Amino acid sequence: MTIETPLWHVTVTVGGGPQDLSMTHAALQRLMGERPFIHSLRYGESRAEVCYWEESPDMVDAASLALRLWTEHRATADLPDWRIVGLEVVDKETYQLRETPPPLNVAGVVPRRF
């Protein structure tokens, strides 16, 4: 009997001082290359939002991994020196029950003002 590991939808929001949008765009593309389960990224001059799926036995483990995402990839993806300003972790069922969830098959880096 195989036990499935729960799937969690994670949204990490980071923010800080204003950055050049083209440099932020390039850094977020590198982050997507390092973390293939990222399904969407939004960003502006001083904020970015990273959304992805995480397999983890419980929400606390998924949140723990999410809190390390930005700092663990800061050097390798040359991410802005921003800090986490928001975190949301919900189970797959909760995510799917929302009225208008973002499409799950969209991948890309999309500039968007916050």
Side-chain angles (χ1 to χ4, degrees):
M1 179 176 172
T2 305
I3 298 175
E4 285 189 32
T5 303
L7 200 57
W8 304 90
H9 187 265
V10 178
T11 302
V12 177
T13 305
V14 294
Q19 301 289 316
D20 177 83
L21 287 175
S22 63
M23 293 179 79
T24 300
H25 178 88
L28 292 173
Q29 285 185 314
R30 288 188 293 273
L31 176 62
M32 282 190 69
E34 294 177 11
R35 290 292 302 239
F37 296 109
I38 292 174
H39 69 77
S40 68
L41 293 159
R42 297 186 318 157
Y43 66 96
E45 291 180 348
S46 60
R47 187 171 296 269
E49 183 180 270
V50 180
C51 298
Y52 65 96
W53 290 97
E54 182 72 64
E55 280 187 324
S56 183
D58 59 41
M59 191 278 302
V60 173
D61 286 346
S64 229
L65 292 167
L67 289 171
R68 296 192 310 262
L69 171 77
W70 197 259
T71 55
E72 286 182 356
H73 292 274
R74 182 174 287 142
T76 57
D78 196 23
L79 297 169
D81 189 22
W82 292 338
R83 63 184 180 87
I84 294 177
V85 297
L87 174 65
E88 178 186 60
V89 181
V90 296
D91 65 357
K92 184 178 177 181
E93 181 182 1
T94 300
Y95 180 79
Q96 291 175 336
L97 287 173
R98 292 184 172 166
E99 281 186 54
T100 55
L104 299 179
N105 61 351
V106 172
V109 180
V110 180
R112 186 162 186 173
R113 299 215 181 258
F114 284 87

